[in-house]
Amino acid sequence: MEIGAAAQSGWPDAARRWCRTQRIISHPSSRIAMRSTLKDIAQALNVSTTTVSWVLSGKGEQKGISKATEERVMKYAKELNYQPNLLARSLHYGTSHTIGLIVPSIGDLFYSSLARVIEQEAEKFGYALMICSSESDLGKENRMVDALRAKQVDGILMAPTKLSDEKIVSMLDDKYPFVLFDRYYPELPTNYVIIDNENSSQQLVSHLIRRGYRKIAIITTNTYLYTMDLRYRGYCNAYAAAGLTPDPGLYGVVEYGDHEVELERVLDRIFERVPDVDAFFFATHIFASRFFAYCADRGIGLDFGFAALHEEPLYSVLAPNFNVATMPIEGMGHEAVRILLQNIKNRSGKKKADAPKQGVILSCSLKYRD
Amino acid sequence: MEIGAAAQSGWPDAARRWCRTQRIISHPSSRIAMRSTLKDIAQALNVSTTTVSWVLSGKGEQKGISKATEERVMKYAKELNYQPNLLARSLHYGTSHTIGLIVPSIGDLFYSSLARVIEQEAEKFGYALMICSSESDLGKENRMVDALRAKQVDGILMAPTKLSDEKIVSMLDDKYPFVLFDRYYPELPTNYVIIDNENSSQQLVSHLIRRGYRKIAIITTNTYLYTMDLRYRGYCNAYAAAGLTPDPGLYGVVEYGDHEVELERVLDRIFERVPDVDAFFFATHIFASRFFAYCADRGIGLDFGFAALHEEPLYSVLAPNFNVATMPIEGMGHEAVRILLQNIKNRSGKKKADAPKQGVILSCSLKYRD
DNA sequence: CTGAAAGCGCTTACAG
DNA sequence: CTGAAAGCGCTTACAG
């Protein structure tokens, strides 16, 4: 469906303005409208680009440009609505004032909330964001790191898939500024911002135990992630601290692949092996939603104890007793950006020695609703 | 907390590799590690940058570079892990192979899902994404448009706040490629991709009426958005088609500001003015979540008819009778990218005439669960 | 008070 | 078969 000519003809003044503010230049095999450049202004005003550049960057006075020239330039630039080409500027300075963000899945509310915080934080310091979603695909993730670096972003924030450390090592080798968050490589000297996975998990599970639950299932995934391992440890610690041992049948791993189907299988097995399971601990929020759907489908009531790391909007409505360790999203975003910018600054500073790497572990805030 | 020296000392080989692949150059007041350039390779191999550039861009054969030289260059480039500086390339070609995306709120699952689709779609064509979240702030949105253009993105996709059309008009003036989605300016000749707001709304409400509901509240917001207006019209059409008139007390507008508090006030008023309200139509999904929380807080049962444009994961679990018009997220992302890229191509093509603007209206898929 | 020149890292038309 | 040169749009040290 196309808008007819009638709809387009209503903009004579827009068209008129266009003629004033644009120039038609000849370019590789084409004629396209380009925004005006320093050179255009300089030529039109019969001054040098140097002068224009100085005026427009506010160094007019300092460089001793006459008030008259300054005003002519300012006025004309405003008229043209001149905007500097930041690509050219970046090329000169060797810094793009852009940072890259790579998350496993921008469609996940956790990561998109984080992206939101990070964007606001970055904007505060004059940095733009290039966001990439790796969709938990290592190949994609690797390509994204390369693409971001080739596009000369000043640094990268990333929650890695952790399926390989090749790119991480190469960024370390290059002393390229980057900060890992949510997940990290405990054996590599990188900057990172994570949460207190083990402790939060232990607190949650201990709380369930205190409340009298004894058959607490743990639903986890991607066990090669150190993050997940820590959460499992927290679960075990809680049992150990209570002098109890969890039934092995309560351990449910949703293997990578089709989560939806896999989770069902895992839950089926748990209900079969431990029919009197009385509580669920979700090592990651993504399974809680599916769990509710699972129960609704099968007409299973929600009279269990619940706990999870992170929650999404409706959990507590569905299960008012839902205990949760809330991820410090603000804090994570804030810290990650802070550390990255600090590293970027250090890099262009005079320091010869490496800046020491920073690892930040943030606490979740626990909400006991049980 | 900082990682001790011990942790860092484990990377002698990484360090060694670093020496080979990096160069230390002097730069404005600093010494920083830079990636290698064409020039580095050329100098090291005693050939011209021209030669290196041709080899590395695969034009070696065509330009008649000797096999021997070609191999030397290839080998050395690989050794250095040479990556071209895309900023420089962009400056030359006048195209950055990057597109900008501006959404009102990247923390909203609807927009983040859309962002995900758009990113994947863009990547397919070799385009990277710069994502910006305007947080429904016009000033921010305007700054974002300027920043993206200054950074020379090849085009912009945006769901505008619609609080002003200034930037839109200026992009039109400049013949700058952009596509609006989700929201648009019916009076401006822009490209856009939206959904069939009026029809979908009408279908949903008609369905509720067919099911016997007569006092259907509509919860809406930002009524200055044409999108929202259309949804309201759909609601009215449904009533009219059934030969009925809705009680004015059923019309609830959540004014901009603190949604959470505002919604409560609006709901309170509806329940007060129309105590026998029997169904709810949410003109946007964002209110449905809050509605559930509201009812939970007050112990109000969920025995209403429900319908909404778009849904989030747990709605149908909470209210199995939740009727919904599912947004065609894949389609919107796909179409928006397609149109934008087409416009970008047209722009750099030889065409003198404007490409006609494209408006696409996609249908929602209706799920009646009642 | 102002400008010519060199440089950032690429690409490519032109010359040999 | 290969290279010197100009240009993309900026910035800035240097010269006058």
Side-chain angles (χ1 to χ4, degrees), chain A residues 1-3 7-8 11 14-15 17-18 21-22 27 29-33 35 83-88 90-94 96-98 105-107 109 112-113 115-116 119-120 123 128-133 135 140 143-144 146-147 149-152 169 173-175 187-190 192 289 292-293 296 313-315 317-318 347-350 352 354 356-361, chain B residues 1-3 7-8 11 14-15 17-18 21-22 27 29-33 35 83-88 90-94 96-98 105-107 109 112-113 115-116 119-120 123 128-133 135 140 143-144 146-147 149-152 169 173-175 187-190 192 289 292-293 296 313-315 317-318 347-350 352 354 356-361:
Chain A
M1 197 198 51
E2 299 187 347
I3 297 172
Q8 291 189 51
W11 294 93
R17 232 173 310 156
W18 184 80
T21 60
Q22 302 299 314
H27 205 75
S29 79
S30 63
R31 293 173 76 76
I32 61 176
R35 311 197 94 181
Q83 298 279 99
N85 181 329
L86 260 28
L87 243 42
S90 292
L91 191 59
H92 176 84
Y93 284 121
S96 60
H97 276 258
T98 302
S105 168
I106 192 64
L109 205 46
S112 63
S113 308
R116 176 168 166 269
E119 211 218 80
Q120 293 181 345
E123 207 217 1
L129 247 203
M130 299 214 39
I131 303 186
C132 302
S133 182
E135 303 301 315
K140 228 172 170 176
R143 270 178 284 138
M144 283 166 169
D146 285 341
R149 294 189 64 181
K151 281 187 189 286
Q152 311 298 115
V169 169
D173 284 353
D174 298 350
K175 300 195 185 311
E187 73 283 10
L188 293 186
T190 72
Y192 60 84
S289 298
F292 290 127
L314 295 171
Y315 293 179
V317 173
L318 267 158
R347 188 179 204 235
S348 54
K350 299 173 197 288
K352 310 212 160 183
D354 278 6
K357 296 294 186 290
Q358 295 181 57
V360 173
I361 301 181
Chain B
M1 195 198 56
E2 299 186 347
I3 297 174
Q8 289 190 52
W11 294 92
R17 231 173 310 155
W18 184 79
T21 60
Q22 302 298 314
H27 206 73
S29 80
S30 63
R31 295 174 74 76
I32 61 176
R35 310 198 95 179
Q83 298 280 99
N85 180 329
L86 261 28
L87 242 44
S90 291
L91 190 59
H92 175 86
Y93 284 120
S96 61
H97 276 259
T98 302
S105 167
I106 192 63
L109 205 47
S112 63
S113 308
R116 175 167 166 269
E119 211 219 80
Q120 293 181 346
E123 207 218 359
L129 248 203
M130 299 215 37
I131 303 185
C132 302
S133 183
E135 304 301 314
K140 227 170 170 178
R143 271 178 284 138
M144 282 166 170
D146 285 341
R149 295 190 61 181
K151 281 185 190 285
Q152 311 297 115
V169 169
D173 285 354
D174 297 351
K175 300 193 187 311
E187 73 283 10
L188 293 186
T190 72
Y192 60 84
S289 298
F292 290 128
L314 294 172
Y315 293 178
V317 173
L318 267 157
R347 188 179 204 235
S348 54
K350 299 173 198 287
K352 310 214 159 183
D354 276 7
K357 295 294 186 289
Q358 295 181 56
V360 173
I361 301 181

Side-chain angles (χ1 to χ4, degrees), chain B residues 33-185:
Chain B
M34 295 280 286
R35 310 198 95 179
S36 34
T37 68
L38 280 190
K39 210 174 162 191
D40 296 332
I41 300 180
Q43 284 174 347
L45 264 40
N46 250 310
V47 294
S48 72
T49 56
T50 309
T51 302
V52 180
S53 174
W54 278 336
V55 171
L56 262 27
S57 59
K59 293 185 195 128
E61 178 128 18
Q62 170 194 336
K63 295 291 182 178
I65 306 293
S66 71
K67 267 274 162 268
T69 310
E70 194 155 55
E71 266 170 21
R72 277 204 311 150
V73 172
M74 296 280 238
K75 179 155 166 276
Y76 192 63
K78 175 156 291 175
E79 212 172 297
L80 290 187
N81 187 25
Y82 170 77
Q83 298 280 99
N85 180 329
L86 261 28
L87 242 44
R89 194 179 276 177
S90 291
L91 190 59
H92 175 86
Y93 284 120
T95 160
S96 61
H97 276 259
T98 302
I99 63 185
L101 171 66
I102 303 179
V103 294
S105 167
I106 192 63
D108 181 322
L109 205 47
F110 170 61
Y111 291 114
S112 63
S113 308
L114 212 35
R116 175 167 166 269
V117 173
I118 288 171
E119 211 219 80
Q120 293 181 346
E121 197 65 19
E123 207 218 359
K124 214 183 285 175
F125 296 98
Y127 280 78
L129 248 203
M130 299 215 37
I131 303 185
C132 302
S133 183
S134 69
E135 304 301 314
S136 297
D137 174 337
L138 176 64
K140 227 170 170 178
E141 180 177 279
N142 285 344
R143 271 178 284 138
M144 282 166 170
V145 171
D146 285 341
L148 287 172
R149 295 190 61 181
K151 281 185 190 285
Q152 311 297 115
V153 302
D154 294 336
I156 289 178
L157 293 173
M158 94 189 247
T161 62
K162 280 212 62 178
L163 292 167
S164 145
D165 65 5
E166 180 202 349
K167 287 289 165 200
I168 307 292
V169 169
S170 97
M171 287 195 284
L172 282 174
D173 285 354
D174 297 351
K175 300 193 187 311
Y176 181 77
F178 72 105
V179 179
L180 304 181
F181 63 89
D182 187 48
R183 306 161 174 190
Y184 80 119
Y185 296 77

